[in-house]
Amino acid sequence: MDIILREVRLMDGRVVDIAVEDGIITDIAPEIAASAKIEHEATGQLALPAFVNGQLHACKVFWRRKLTSLPVDIQALPRFEAAKHVKATYTPEDVASRVSEVVRLAILNGTCALRLFADVDEASGLNALKGLLEVKQKFAHVLPIQVVAFPQDGVGGTTETLMVDALDLGADVVGGIPWIENGETAKREHTEMCFELARRFDKDLHLVADDTTDTNSKTLEHIANMTIQSNYHGRVSVTQCAALSFYDDAYAQTVIQKVKQADLTVFSNSHVSLVTTDNEGEPYPRGITRIRELQAAGVPVACAQDDIDNWYYPFGCNDMLEVAQFMAHAGAFAWQGEINQVLPMVTDIPARVLGLEKYGLEVGCSANIVLLNVPTWHEAVQFQPAKSLVILGGQVRARSQRQEDIIL
């Protein structure tokens, strides 16, 4: 036996031993008599399947570091204007260095798989994508990484050609952001281009839809229609969908039913929505989509880190437990055990989106396990404890502990 975790607590409250051999969970029992090369006394700590981060705009991370190296007049620009100058400085080596840092944070925080977005546009060319492909290869022995070719600035100019080049180079997923285009025709053309590329290269799609309070932004419905028409059910994810919360109820329900019919997965990254809004004055709306209504209709809803220290969101430490806490607050998953509805948003649902095989905490599953130094999921979200042990692919990859002293 390679690893035995002693006296871990499962979500259902049972205290068990977990055995791992050759990267697979081979036994879960009240007591395992065998011995192992590594034995860890968990003493009632909560064991979960390792987290999955299904969306991170990785090439933008730690942008302030790069901004400080630019002239003062550029630093003084509004953040979205300054961003163009920052992106123009990208090199594959620079991107790989910054992204490697956040991948290490993901491992430390108990994440077993990542979907990383690379901006593909005239400002940065293919530099971001090349950097992320380097990171994917660098960490392949630890955790799987999917790279998304993402036309952040729309599909004008040479961007469509760059997207094709990105897929030829090895991008795993076709990204898109049709809602930012000017005019309904341009929004539809953006979406159709993404679907055409996905079909041509046999790739999944991940599109940012209607990240705005503007009720005239209706790309979510068009994405759902395109998915149905293209028979791409189950292969398309959509992110944010904030405008859905501002539509009138009748239209919102029509769109939700189409989303369900298309078998879309919705990512609602609530922490980003709390900070970034196109509202010009108070009161600031939460900006999150209709999470509960989507769930009630049977639409899978996930949440992800999305951004780390960039011009959309200035915080983040690539910790899906922190992301879960934001979702608990913004989505009001608080009472009568509703917090348990958040756990699949950072585990099972994004794992399905990424196509992870043998995912879970059962015999026969891949040994991707995180131990949290609390006995329950509620307390994990509440207290944000250390991830005392992280096992990825059947190997111990991280340990954390907190030294706490109270002196009265």
Side-chain angles (χ1 to χ4, degrees):
M1 208 74 66
D2 295 325
I3 301 172
I4 296 179
L5 306 178
R6 301 287 187 188
E7 296 186 5
V8 301
R9 190 179 300 274
L10 303 180
M11 276 291 291
D12 61 11
R14 288 181 295 147
V15 176
V16 298
D17 293 350
I18 299 177
V20 173
E21 189 167 12
D22 294 330
I24 300 296
I25 298 172
T26 56
D27 197 7
I28 299 176
E31 184 175 355
I32 295 174
S35 60
K37 299 172 186 175
I38 297 174
E39 298 203 13
H40 181 84
E41 295 292 339
T43 59
Q45 293 182 358
L46 181 66
L48 297 173
F51 302 119
V52 179
N53 186 356
Q55 179 178 350
L56 175 60
H57 292 280
C59 63
K60 301 181 179 73
V61 300
F62 302 128
W63 84 296
R64 287 181 302 138
R65 299 177 186 174
K66 297 186 66 59
L67 184 60
T68 57
S69 69
L70 297 178
V72 174
D73 58 334
I74 292 176
Q75 295 182 43
L77 291 172
R79 66 186 190 276
F80 288 106
E81 292 182 34
K84 297 177 182 178
H85 297 275
V86 170
K87 288 173 67 171
T89 70
Y90 283 2
T91 65
E93 295 76 18
D94 154 63
V95 171
S97 176
R98 288 182 287 113
V99 176
S100 291
E101 186 172 342
V102 296
V103 173
R104 291 187 182 95
L105 284 172
I107 294 167
L108 183 66
N109 289 318
T111 297
C112 70
L114 295 162
R115 177 174 277 186
L116 304 182
F117 283 55
D119 285 4
V120 174
D121 50 38
E122 293 184 336
S124 56
L126 295 172
N127 286 327
L129 182 104
K130 291 176 180 177
L132 294 195
L133 290 175
E134 180 182 328
V135 170
K136 175 183 176 178
Q137 182 177 9
K138 176 180 179 180
F139 290 94
H141 66 292
V142 180
L143 77 173
I145 293 174
Q146 293 182 359
V147 177
V148 183
F150 186 64
Q152 173 69 77
D153 295 335
V155 295
T158 63
T159 299
E160 183 172 354
T161 300
L162 288 169
M163 286 287 288
V164 172
D165 291 342
L167 290 160
D168 282 332
L169 282 172
D172 302 289
V173 180
V174 175
I177 182 169
W179 78 271
I180 68 167
E181 304 285 4
N182 291 319
E184 189 63 26
T185 299
K187 289 177 169 61
R188 289 178 177 272
E189 289 175 349
H190 184 130
T191 306
E192 289 163 3
M193 181 209 74
C194 293
F195 272 86
E196 192 279 325
L197 288 176
R199 287 191 295 268
R200 190 196 314 177
F201 287 89
D202 190 22
K203 302 293 185 182
D204 288 354
L205 286 142
H206 199 139
L207 308 170
V208 179
D210 306 318
D211 192 9
T212 175
T213 61
D214 182 3
T215 56
N216 293 313
S217 185
K218 298 180 178 180
T219 59
L220 177 58
E221 181 181 19
H222 186 52
I223 291 167
N225 287 336
M226 282 289 297
T227 303
I228 294 166
Q229 294 164 13
S230 303
N231 195 27
Y232 235 64
H233 303 74
R235 299 192 65 179
V236 182
S237 297
V238 286
T239 293
Q240 301 304 66
C241 310
L244 184 64
S245 290
F246 298 89
Y247 300 153
D248 68 74
D249 289 344
Y251 176 62
Q253 288 305 314
T254 296
V255 175
I256 288 171
Q257 289 306 312
K258 288 185 177 181
V259 169
K260 167 61 177 174
Q261 183 182 353
D263 193 17
L264 303 182
T265 297
V266 174
F267 281 79
S268 179
N269 305 319
S270 59
H271 51 295
V272 179
S273 299
L274 290 170
V275 173
T276 300
T277 175
D278 57 3
N279 203 52
E280 294 183 354
E282 296 185 19
Y284 292 111
R286 290 183 302 166
I288 62 173
T289 194
R290 298 188 184 221
I291 295 170
R292 291 175 180 269
E293 292 173 60
L294 287 161
Q295 289 178 328
V299 175
V301 179
C303 50
Q305 178 63 70
D306 195 29
D307 296 295
I308 295 175
D309 187 16
N310 65 28
W311 46 94
Y312 289 95
Y313 182 70
F315 310 115
C317 56
N318 220 11
D319 186 348
M320 297 308 294
L321 187 57
E322 180 184 73
V323 169
Q325 188 185 62
F326 274 111
M327 177 55 72
H329 283 82
F333 293 99
W335 308 108
Q336 296 180 318
E338 287 183 332
I339 186 62
N340 288 353
Q341 296 178 45
V342 177
L343 180 58
M345 296 184 190
V346 294
T347 54
D348 296 344
I349 294 170
R352 182 185 64 81
V353 169
L354 269 64
L356 300 184
E357 297 180 355
K358 298 181 179 179
Y359 177 84
L361 197 57
E362 299 177 359
V363 172
C365 290
S366 297
N368 295 305
I369 305 167
V370 58
L371 292 186
L372 304 176
N373 194 20
V374 288
T376 69
W377 173 242
H378 184 115
E379 289 167 283
V381 173
Q382 180 178 359
F383 293 111
Q384 298 290 296
K387 290 76 177 175
S388 60
L389 194 71
V390 177
I391 297 173
L392 302 180
Q395 296 189 46
V396 174
R397 292 296 184 181
R399 296 186 180 90
S400 299
Q401 62 180 2
R402 293 177 181 171
Q403 179 66 44
E404 298 177 344
D405 295 306
I406 299 176
I407 302 173
L408 299 177

